[in-house]
Amino acid sequence: MMTSKRKLKIGIVGCGAIGSSLANEIVTGLRNSACLVALYDIRLEKSKLLSWQLAKSSNFCVANLETLIKKSDLVIESSCAKAAWEIVRKSLSNGRKVMVMSVGGMVAHLDQLFVLAAKHNAQVYFPSGAISGIDALKAANIDGVRRVVLTTRKHPDAFKGVDYVIKKFKLTGLKKDKVLFAGTAAQAVKYFPQNINVAAVLGLAGIGMHKTKVRIIASPAVRKNIHEILIESKAAKIFTRTENILHPQNPKTSYLAVLSAIATLKQILQPVKIGT
Ligand SMILES: NC(=O)c1ccc[n+]([C@@H]2O[C@H](COP(=O)([O-])OP(=O)(O)OC[C@H]3O[C@@H](n4cnc5c(N)ncnc54)[C@H](O)[C@@H]3O)[C@@H](O)[C@H]2O)c1
């Protein structure tokens, strides 16, 4: 007798650049193994627009987070750092799987997150995002990672509106690279909200937010967001460099981060899992 596998029901909270791309992929490329059941955005017009683009109706829209959680097996959080913990907390408390994009929003709640996930037998997924090397870092971290250093280079314009930079530096007319910050991932998350996700994922996957080192450089010559990672461990010395193209809908988000979230979804859905 043929048995058809039940599709994973997915709800998306936050219908911006990342949420929209993921919703599109779920109803096209992943439709054999997953189905989109709900969209929620604090700006209702955004979830409505996305629903109409996907299904020519507002069928996917729900009025609140609670309804979305009820309908979903997996909740994708793609909203903002400030709202993320509430979304994750409520989803885990209801035993839902959660994929978290606003990783920086979790840093202050990590202990509770681990406890809640274990208590409700729920899974939490953090995609690698706009960096490469998380796979090797996880493996190396089984036995003796000594050092992890992230060096991020961005055009000076990318730091507009960052309070820490406004107070300390004048970047207009910058001709040469300028180091804006050198410290721990924990400090970087505090001072550079724009880099929060990359530094947080790296800290979480490896030796922690306080031991992971971060350097942030304003570079007038670059047009992409470049992340270099150096890992020194018992097993290997690893160096990765990722030159990110920016997402056309939101220049603060790297396109690779969106694809990384889609790849994580595929990893969840497929029976054969490749890579660490
Ligand atoms: N993990 C990574 O690698 C990575 C990479 C880039 C961005 N991000 C993060 O992912 C999140 C989404 O990024 P984006 O580029 O799609 O942003 P975006 O600004 O394009 O979209 C965010 C959407 O969330 C909605 N929203 C905000 N608060 C909400 C709430 N309380 N409830 C429901 N909806 C809410 C907004 O109205 C907006 O439509 C951000 O927090 C961003 O920092 C993560």
Side-chain angles (χ1 to χ4, degrees):
M1 194 178 77
M2 282 260 293
T3 52
S4 61
K5 205 170 158 270
R6 186 176 164 276
K7 291 184 185 183
L8 186 75
K9 296 182 200 162
I10 302 179
I12 298 180
V13 186
C15 302
I18 295 182
S20 304
S21 300
L22 289 176
N24 262 302
E25 185 66 22
I26 293 163
V27 302
T28 56
L30 301 176
R31 68 181 183 282
N32 290 333
S33 46
C35 59
L36 187 66
V37 290
L39 295 172
Y40 172 64
D41 197 292
I42 199 157
R43 291 172 58 196
L44 207 62
E45 74 274 13
K46 294 194 78 170
S47 49
K48 270 197 180 145
L49 176 68
L50 180 58
S51 185
W52 272 92
Q53 285 167 347
L54 296 170
K56 302 275 177 288
S57 80
S58 54
N59 285 354
F60 290 128
C61 289
V62 294
N64 53 50
L65 176 64
E66 288 69 24
T67 310
L68 180 137
I69 292 173
K70 229 178 240 169
K71 286 174 156 241
S72 311
D73 302 320
L74 168 72
V75 175
I76 297 179
E77 180 288 313
S78 51
S79 59
C80 66
K82 235 172 141 186
W85 170 242
E86 250 337 78
I87 296 162
V88 171
R89 189 184 65 75
K90 287 186 176 161
S91 303
L92 291 180
S93 302
N94 283 282
R96 302 306 192 253
K97 294 181 167 70
V98 192
M99 188 160 101
V100 186
M101 295 310 299
S102 309
V103 190
M106 295 303 105
V107 170
H109 307 280
L110 286 175
D111 291 347
Q112 292 155 281
L113 180 136
F114 280 91
V115 169
L116 263 187
K119 183 173 168 196
H120 296 280
N121 198 20
Q123 269 107 46
V124 185
Y125 303 93
F126 292 105
S128 302
I131 49 176
S132 40
I134 293 291
D135 50 351
L137 175 59
K138 277 164 59 187
N141 204 32
I142 303 289
D143 186 18
V145 171
R146 286 186 296 275
R147 197 164 163 240
V148 179
V149 184
L150 164 71
T151 304
T152 291
R153 273 188 191 77
K154 289 183 178 183
H155 189 271
D157 286 352
F159 299 101
K160 276 184 183 159
V162 178
D163 284 345
Y164 178 90
V165 176
I166 294 168
K167 278 183 202 149
K168 287 185 173 250
F169 303 96
K170 191 178 156 289
L171 297 183
T172 31
L174 192 71
K175 294 278 182 297
K176 290 190 303 190
D177 283 11
K178 183 153 203 76
V179 178
L180 303 180
F181 173 83
T184 66
Q187 292 165 328
V189 158
K190 201 160 132 201
Y191 298 132
F192 288 83
Q194 272 89 340
N195 278 295
I196 209 164
N197 297 299
V198 168
V201 168
L202 196 64
L204 277 172
I207 54 179
M209 302 297 294
H210 295 285
K211 287 191 187 151
T212 302
K213 298 283 189 286
V214 176
R215 286 190 336 135
I216 298 176
I217 299 171
S219 179
V222 306
R223 285 288 175 274
K224 297 169 184 166
N225 291 345
I226 302 175
H227 300 298
E228 290 175 346
I229 295 172
L230 172 72
I231 300 160
E232 287 174 5
S233 76
K234 243 181 178 178
K237 184 171 178 180
I238 300 152
F239 179 74
T240 72
R241 177 180 163 96
T242 314
E243 297 188 5
N244 281 287
I245 306 289
L246 307 181
H247 194 287
Q249 259 175 279
N250 182 355
K252 281 191 198 152
T253 286
S254 298
Y255 184 41
L256 187 67
V258 177
L259 301 185
S260 162
I262 294 175
T264 303
L265 263 185
K266 287 192 167 177
Q267 187 92 322
I268 296 169
L269 293 166
Q270 287 165 356
V272 179
K273 317 224 187 264
I274 298 161
T276 306

